[in-house]
Amino acid sequence: MQRVSGRVSRIITSSVASLLARASSTQSFGTFSVQPNFRKLQQQGIPGDFPKWGSLRFCRTLGFASGFTPLQPKPLGSILDIERVKNRSSEDIASIWDDYHLGRGHIAASMKPKLYHLLEHRAANCRHFVIPLWRGSGYTTMFAQVQMPHMIFTGLEDYKARGTQAAPYFTVTFYTDFAESKDLVLIRGDIVFTSKLSDSEAKWLLETAQSFYLNDVRYKLVECFNKETREFEFKDVLQALDMPVL
């Protein structure tokens, strides 16, 4: 568990040039997720000032954030009988989607395409964020990478310990198959390690991550984290979530 006390310190662990060079290499996000027919998402760099956001001691190589090979996403047709539901209302489809995933170890949700496109637009410029997950009397910090139509979450402590071999705890895929015809985007989350996240924690992470990208006030923190990292204060995230600064 990583606790943050007072004002976040800013330490420089290596030169920006060195870090950017490191981040330019493509790395897999967990070796188990690599399969020959996976489509690699576009390689992205991480903000040069990112390691200066310091009290979390994010001091290892940042290679994993330069791009990841996600778990193979299932096409919507392999989960839902599209032909059978295509004449149903968006409300019915969303309800069928939710009911199908109950008790199956997955997280199901839906959203309007308008919100999806806003999330997609904002994530294109700000792909990374940190979210505290409250547990007991403190919190553990999760690191999120957003490359639509995917979100991927891992524990910051695991990344510090394993670097580019850190595996995702939770992956999310957005399905836009019904965006035009039903004004509906379906969302499926897969918990990769149930020992790391419960269903309720995964659901909360998904909802919270979306709130930081879709809420104008909260999104300013995401922008600061990605674009003005020297000014980023983790305590502002805690305060936005009504969590105490430990």
Side-chain angles (χ1 to χ4, degrees), residues 128-200:
H128 314 103
F129 199 54
V130 280
I131 299 174
L133 179 63
W134 191 262
R135 285 175 171 167
S137 58
Y139 53 82
T140 186
T141 304
M142 304 298 294
F143 187 76
Q145 180 166 330
V146 185
Q147 286 184 240
M148 301 302 287
H150 304 283
M151 285 185 177
I152 193 163
F153 300 85
T154 193
L156 188 59
E157 288 298 319
D158 261 14
Y159 178 73
K160 286 165 56 180
R162 299 176 184 176
T164 59
Q165 301 305 307
Y169 291 6
F170 180 45
T171 64
V172 179
T173 302
F174 294 76
Y175 294 97
T176 59
D177 304 58
F178 292 115
E180 291 188 12
S181 61
K182 302 294 182 181
D183 195 36
L184 179 70
V185 174
L186 298 174
I187 307 168
R188 173 183 166 117
D190 293 282
I191 302 172
V192 181
F193 291 112
T194 55
S195 61
K196 300 288 189 180
L197 281 179
S198 67
D199 286 4
S200 60

Side-chain angles (χ1 to χ4, degrees), residues 56-109:
L56 292 184
R57 298 175 186 172
F58 202 174
C59 299
R60 294 178 61 92
T61 173
L62 301 174
F64 98 93
S66 67
F68 62 87
T69 305
L71 299 177
Q72 186 171 15
K74 289 187 175 182
L76 184 61
S78 70
I79 305 170
L80 185 69
D81 190 334
I82 296 176
E83 284 300 311
R84 290 187 63 182
V85 303
K86 68 180 183 180
N87 294 322
R88 305 287 289 269
S89 68
S90 59
E91 291 79 9
D92 284 348
I93 294 173
S95 179
I96 292 169
W97 182 253
D98 290 345
D99 290 345
Y100 172 80
H101 289 93
L102 283 176
R104 292 175 179 265
H106 305 291
I107 306 300

